[in-house]
Amino acid sequence: MIDYLLKFPSKEVAEQFGIANGFAQFDEVSGLVFSFLASHTHALCEIGEHNGDGNFWVLFRDLVGIPVPEGGEQFIYWASDFVVQDDAGNDVPVPRPIDDPNVPNIFWA
C-alpha cells in the first residue's frame, strides 16, 4: 500500500488526469466529473484548493501496487514510499510534510 499526496495545477487538470486514467468519469447528463472514490484497488480523497492559489490537491491510496500512469510523476508531491539515504547508506523514509502551511494536512481516517 502506498499513499500519495498529489498536487495538480488546477481542478480541471486533476479531472482530465482522473478521466484519462480511469479514476473519474464525465457525466454527460449533469456535465460534471465524478471521481471513483474507492475500489478494490484504490481510494482517493479530493482535498481541493488549499491556499487559494488554484492548485488542486488529492490524497490517493494505492492498495495493490498500481503503476504510476504515464505523466503522473509530475503531480506527486509526496509518497509514503519516498526514501533518502542517511550517512551510512541506509534508506530512511521521508516523512509527510505536516508542518508546511502550503501543504494540506489531511490524513486518512
Side-chain angles (χ1 to χ4, degrees), residues 78-101:
W78 171 87
S80 61
D81 66 348
F82 280 177
V83 295
V84 294
Q85 290 190 338
D86 63 14
D87 294 337
N90 301 311
D91 286 343
V92 177
V94 175
R96 184 161 172 195
I98 59 173
D99 294 328
D100 184 342

Side-chain angles (χ1 to χ4, degrees), residues 4-8 11 14 35 37 44-51 55-60 77 96 102-108:
Y4 295 95
L5 184 59
L6 306 172
K7 178 182 174 185
F8 295 91
K11 180 178 182 179
S35 297
L37 300 179
L44 69 88
C45 172
E46 293 181 7
I47 299 169
E49 282 193 46
H50 175 63
N51 284 335
N55 290 314
F56 193 81
W57 295 83
V58 174
L59 186 57
F60 185 91
Y77 188 85
R96 184 161 172 195
N102 296 314
V103 179
N105 193 5
I106 294 177
F107 292 87
W108 295 104

Side-chain angles (χ1 to χ4, degrees), residues 9-87:
S10 69
K11 180 178 182 179
E12 292 75 23
V13 171
E15 289 175 340
Q16 291 169 3
F17 183 80
I19 291 168
N21 293 288
F23 302 114
Q25 182 176 5
F26 178 74
D27 180 68
E28 293 186 23
V29 174
S30 68
L32 300 173
V33 174
F34 292 97
S35 297
F36 302 124
L37 300 179
S39 73
H40 293 291
T41 62
H42 78 278
L44 69 88
C45 172
E46 293 181 7
I47 299 169
E49 282 193 46
H50 175 63
N51 284 335
D53 57 6
N55 290 314
F56 193 81
W57 295 83
V58 174
L59 186 57
F60 185 91
R61 176 166 281 171
D62 171 5
L63 301 171
V64 297
I66 301 167
V68 174
E70 185 176 336
E73 297 86 5
Q74 66 184 315
F75 304 120
I76 300 173
Y77 188 85
W78 171 87
S80 61
D81 66 348
F82 280 177
V83 295
V84 294
Q85 290 190 338
D86 63 14
D87 294 337

